[in-house]
Amino acid sequence: MNFIQILKLRSCQEWFSTLPVFLLLLSVIIAGNGEQIHARLLNVGELIWQDYFTLRVDIAIPQCNPDVDIEAELQKLEAESSTLDGMEDLFDAVLFDREAALISLQNARQLCVQKHQLAEQNQARITPSVVIFRTVETGVAQISLLAFEKQRMILILTIFICAVTSTLKQHHIAFRPIVTLKDHHVSTLAQLLGNSIMLLSAWFYRINIYQSATTIDHPEVFLLSIVGFAALIAANIWQFFKPQFSDEFHIKNHSHSQALLTIPLYIFMSYFVGFYFFVIEDHWAGPAIFFSLLFDQAGLFLNIGLYIWVGMLLKRTQLGDLVFKVFIPWRLSPELLAFVAILVMAVPTAYTGASGIIIIAMGAIVYEELRRAGARRQLALAATAMTGSAGVVLRPCLLVVLIAALNKEVVTDQLFSWGLKTFMTTSVVFFVFAWISKREKMHIAPVQEAFKPFLRALLPLIPYVAIVLLVCLSYLFLLDVTMDEFSAPLILPVIIFWIIVYEKLFVRMVLVASPEKDAHKFEYTMRMASSESSIHIGALLLLMGLSFVLGGVIERSGLLSSIPETFSSPWITLSFLVVVLVGIGMIMDPFGAVVLVSGTIAQIAYNNGINPVHFWMITLVSFELGYLTPPVALNHLLTRQMVGHEETAMAALEGDSFWYRHEKILLPLLTMGTTLLLVTIVPVFFV
């Protein structure tokens, strides 16, 4: 197949979105791993060549003369001193100190000799092997340094390329999907206005910076923001006049109020912040200033993009299916299997640091496997929405690390210790409510009947476990890097890469019945996973960016400063904190919310005698309850986005009672609500 044929086989999205995003994410992985490789190369260089750091550059031959005639120099200095005798009226006469000059010249000659010796030794030790090694080492260092310096630019390119893709695919996070032509027109016009607000703000931000004559550290941030929001507006205009018609557009139009629900959440946020900054504060650059704060934590949000990419790659492997097959011999009832899914998914959540990320990354796998095992749709949707809610308090969750970094009153060991107890509480509460709401008696196969099939089901997982161990051990022994919250975004893609290679080369289970032609090919898997990732990355990161702006409005409005510093009792304090924290969880992403709470509400809790560790456990559980609470219920919106509108629509038609018709909402609410009450009240009697 020649290059022209390849060009014709790839869509515009693949060339202008999928490929650039793949390269950007790949550059993040290469740069991150390059940093670890460079540190290891320095250690290796020091082990092979003593004082390797002196060999990293060529030491130039000094210009000084090591064989200088000291006596001649003394005479020269004495002669120069005598020329000043005629100026003794202007300066105090100073006699020439021959002894001091001699010592100075001898010291200078000795220093010059040492410099020449060092340069000669350096040149003698720089062998061809040293030249080759240091070329590789310094090259890796330059690549890593360049990528680190360009993190902001990489992030902003990733956000807007993916955001344009999400716009064209009509895949932004909203209360309802677009299913009619009216939905399309209402949503597109609303996006056009919201993106125009952000473009206008970015333009004023640029003008203000240049007028202030201040030093601009990262001019590409606001320049690319202007280009990015302009590209979103262009996509809205093109899409409005050329909608992507489908059979769903033949559905009878519903009311305008329902059509308004198809407007993305980030657009509603842009209206609110635009009104506040433009009308109330007359600060036109405000939204763009707070939006640019997202890029100050570029590494963190690039990691989120990597996690989503890993999830899309994992979805195209057989690992999820094989893991859930392990539980088939036990013939678990749907409720028990949902409980197991909550426990299993807590581990990846602890590494990704946010429940919303893990829903995007692995929500589809969880739902499909629960449905395959016989779980009703409402229960499967409830478990999927709660996929990561229990794991955000476990080691090594990045959210907990961020809390400890922003608050000197707590340390990670304390938070993770309490977090384990909170996780166990959430798990038990979920099990209790699942047991109460069961439709049939909970059952599990006898051990003597299920154990051997269970062991046989474990066998296909051995190669996967071996790959994980080999990659982790390679990082440990070759680079001295362990898998933690900092290295996981860089190691997990490598693990998934080798898993895909293993499946394509050795697993003889080609999905012949799959409607996707070439599903067994490595290139196809990477391309399709990257294409899906670009859609979800754009939707989530754009929402997070506007959450930062919304946090800025809350902070500048003085809304939180009007809160009393002290309350009459700890119970009133706790009740107030719970309400406020759940409300914040309903409208903000977890990372932006932690920053906001650390600077405002946390101090109120400390002033009222609330134990700092206790307060942050309440905060994390409150956030998770907020993400599951209507009318926003972000985790449910993400679940619908991953599972599909058709499945959620069919789930709404199921159930013969109020509970079973709304189980996807009620079960998570009762679970996290009860957990929040327990986490809030019980420690008061022991702390």
Side-chain angles (χ1 to χ4, degrees):
M1 184 180 296
N2 58 38
F3 182 71
I4 300 299
Q5 290 175 317
I6 294 176
L7 282 174
K8 293 179 179 178
L9 289 174
R10 300 291 180 262
S11 65
C12 292
Q13 180 200 337
E14 289 170 341
W15 284 114
F16 296 105
S17 173
T18 302
L19 181 60
V21 171
F22 170 79
L23 295 176
L24 288 170
L25 295 177
L26 188 62
S27 70
V28 176
I29 297 172
I30 293 174
N33 284 290
E35 185 178 352
Q36 307 295 341
I37 294 171
H38 176 246
R40 198 59 171 172
L41 286 174
L42 289 176
N43 293 334
V44 171
E46 189 64 26
L47 288 174
I48 299 175
W49 300 282
Q50 187 178 5
D51 296 329
Y52 168 72
F53 290 97
T54 63
L55 304 178
R56 297 183 73 233
V57 294
D58 293 326
I59 298 179
I61 300 297
Q63 298 297 320
C64 63
N65 183 8
D67 300 320
V68 64
D69 187 341
I70 292 181
E71 185 62 31
E73 288 295 320
L74 275 174
Q75 293 177 0
K76 181 180 178 182
L77 289 174
E78 188 173 6
E80 290 175 353
S81 174
S82 63
T83 60
L84 298 175
D85 293 344
M87 304 178 67
E88 52 189 19
D89 293 337
L90 297 176
F91 303 98
D92 293 336
V94 179
L95 296 176
F96 178 70
D97 189 341
R98 186 178 180 86
E99 186 67 26
L102 176 63
I103 294 174
S104 176
L105 288 172
Q106 288 175 340
N107 290 338
R109 185 175 64 177
Q110 183 178 1
L111 180 61
C112 181
V113 169
Q114 291 175 352
K115 288 182 178 179
H116 275 270
Q117 290 175 346
L118 182 61
E120 290 171 1
Q121 291 172 1
N122 176 265
Q123 291 181 346
R125 295 180 63 199
I126 297 179
T127 61
S129 58
V130 171
V131 173
I132 295 173
F133 184 87
R134 76 179 184 182
T135 301
V136 174
E137 178 260 311
T138 54
V140 172
Q142 290 173 357
I143 292 173
S144 300
L145 183 61
L146 177 64
F148 179 78
E149 292 175 347
K150 300 300 181 182
Q151 270 191 338
R152 287 176 173 83
M153 188 174 72
I154 292 173
L155 177 60
I156 198 168
L157 287 173
T158 301
I159 288 178
F160 282 112
I161 291 174
C162 294
V164 170
T165 304
S166 297
T167 299
L168 296 175
K169 292 290 183 179
Q170 297 178 332
H171 210 75
H172 281 294
I173 301 169
F175 294 107
R176 289 185 63 257
I178 296 174
V179 295
T180 70
L181 192 57
K182 181 187 290 184
D183 291 342
H184 168 79
H185 287 148
V186 170
S187 179
T188 304
L189 285 175
Q191 290 178 56
L192 179 62
L193 178 59
N195 291 324
S196 298
I197 291 173
M198 296 304 298
L199 175 62
L200 190 63
S201 179
W203 182 260
F204 274 94
Y205 183 28
R206 174 184 177 276
I207 293 175
N208 290 349
I209 288 177
Y210 280 114
Q211 287 180 344
S212 65
T214 56
T215 302
I216 304 170
D217 292 330
H218 301 283
E220 71 275 6
V221 169
F222 59 85
L223 291 175
L224 288 176
S225 294
I226 293 173
V227 175
F229 284 112
L232 286 173
I233 292 172
N236 294 143
I237 295 173
W238 182 86
Q239 195 172 40
F240 182 82
F241 291 104
K242 291 195 174 185
Q244 296 178 355
F245 285 98
S246 68
D247 294 337
E248 293 176 332
F249 281 157
H250 294 292
I251 300 174
K252 182 180 178 181
N253 282 340
H254 40 238
S255 64
H256 281 87
S257 60
Q258 289 179 302
L260 290 174
L261 296 178
T262 63
I263 299 174
L265 293 183
Y266 90 91
I267 293 298
F268 282 115
M269 291 181 177
S270 70
Y271 293 161
F272 180 79
V273 301
F275 176 80
Y276 177 81
F277 281 109
F278 293 176
V279 178
I280 298 178
E281 284 202 3
D282 192 25
H283 182 28
W284 290 71
I289 290 174
F290 282 97
F291 186 82
S292 66
L293 294 179
L294 186 76
F295 307 110
D296 292 338
Q297 304 177 46
L300 176 67
F301 292 98
L302 284 172
N303 287 346
I304 291 175
L306 289 176
Y307 281 127
I308 294 174
W309 189 38
V310 166
M312 296 301 102
L313 288 169
L314 188 61
K315 189 174 79 169
R316 291 185 170 270
T317 69
Q318 301 177 44
L319 185 57
D321 182 48
L322 292 175
V323 169
F324 277 89
K325 278 183 178 179
V326 169
F327 303 103
I328 291 178
W330 299 100
R331 298 201 302 276
L332 299 176
S333 57
E335 291 79 10
L336 278 176
L337 188 60
F339 172 69
V340 170
I342 296 294
L343 297 181
V344 170
M345 297 309 298
V347 176
T349 302
Y351 281 95
T352 58
S355 56
I357 300 172
I358 205 64
I359 290 174
I360 291 179
M362 303 185 70
I365 297 174
V366 174
Y367 181 82
E368 290 170 4
E369 296 303 330
L370 286 173
R371 286 289 296 146
R372 193 174 299 169
R376 52 190 178 275
R377 285 188 174 88
Q378 288 281 342
L379 176 61
L381 289 172
T384 303
M386 281 194 64
T387 294
S389 296
V392 294
V393 292
L394 295 177
R395 189 182 299 271
C397 179
L398 194 57
L399 264 183
V400 177
V401 176
L402 179 61
I403 290 170
L406 295 176
N407 298 268
K408 64 181 183 299
E409 295 82 1
V410 295
V411 295
T412 53
D413 285 343
Q414 292 175 313
L415 293 169
F416 286 131
S417 176
W418 279 50
L420 180 60
K421 300 170 186 175
T422 303
F423 167 72
M424 294 172 64
T425 301
T426 306
S427 303
V428 171
V429 170
F430 179 85
F431 177 81
V432 169
F433 281 113
W435 179 76
I436 293 173
S437 63
K438 65 183 184 300
R439 301 214 67 163
E440 56 187 31
K441 185 178 179 180
M442 282 192 177
H443 54 79
I444 184 172
V447 175
Q448 61 272 20
E449 179 183 333
F451 189 66
K452 287 185 178 180
F454 167 72
L455 292 179
R456 286 195 294 269
L458 284 176
L459 289 177
L461 286 173
I462 293 177
Y464 294 90
V465 175
I467 291 172
V468 174
L469 288 176
L470 285 173
V471 173
C472 291
L473 290 174
S474 298
Y475 271 88
L476 179 61
F477 290 110
L478 296 178
L479 302 179
D480 195 24
V481 174
T482 58
M483 180 108 96
D484 56 22
E485 66 274 17
F486 305 107
S487 62
L490 304 174
I491 297 177
L492 286 175
V494 178
I495 292 174
I496 300 301
F497 169 82
W498 287 111
I499 285 176
I500 294 174
V501 170
Y502 161 74
E503 287 192 351
K504 302 309 178 186
L505 294 180
F506 301 106
V507 178
R508 306 304 181 188
M509 297 175 63
V510 179
L511 303 179
V512 179
S514 173
E516 301 181 43
K517 187 178 70 172
D518 299 332
H520 61 287
K521 293 183 179 179
F522 178 84
E523 180 270 342
Y524 180 85
T525 298
M526 300 296 293
R527 180 158 48 90
M528 290 297 100
S530 301
S531 179
E532 289 183 80
S533 300
S534 64
I535 295 173
H536 298 303
I537 291 171
L540 185 61
L541 291 187
L542 201 56
L543 179 63
M544 287 184 170
L546 268 296
S547 292
F548 267 75
V549 187
L550 187 61
V553 171
I554 295 173
E555 183 179 346
R556 291 173 65 94
S557 65
L559 180 64
L560 298 178
S561 63
S562 61
I563 299 171
E565 292 187 2
T566 58
F567 292 85
S568 57
S569 75
W571 298 110
I572 295 177
T573 304
L574 290 172
S575 300
F576 170 79
L577 291 175
V578 165
V579 173
V580 173
L581 293 171
V582 172
I584 292 175
M586 292 175 64
I587 60 175
M588 291 189 68
D589 78 277
F591 296 98
V594 164
V595 175
L596 176 65
V597 171
S598 296
T600 52
I601 300 174
Q603 197 57 50
I604 297 174
Y606 305 155
N607 293 340
N608 283 271
I610 305 300
N611 181 282
V613 182
H614 181 203
F615 166 73
W616 282 108
M617 286 300 107
I618 294 173
T619 300
L620 291 173
V621 179
S622 297
F623 285 172
E624 290 305 319
L625 179 59
Y627 304 144
L628 295 164
T629 303
V632 180
L634 179 60
N635 281 8
H636 287 291
L637 297 179
L638 294 175
T639 299
R640 188 206 67 209
Q641 198 167 15
M642 300 310 302
V643 170
H645 172 64
E646 296 78 8
E647 282 294 309
T648 54
M650 286 189 285
L653 302 176
E654 295 180 351
D656 52 5
S657 66
F658 180 81
W659 172 268
Y660 292 116
R661 284 195 299 272
H662 304 283
E663 188 176 17
K664 71 173 184 178
I665 297 292
L666 297 177
L667 181 56
L669 280 182
L670 282 175
T671 299
M672 296 309 299
T674 304
T675 301
L676 179 58
L677 287 176
L678 293 174
V679 169
T680 302
I681 296 173
V682 173
V684 174
F685 299 104
F686 299 97
V687 177

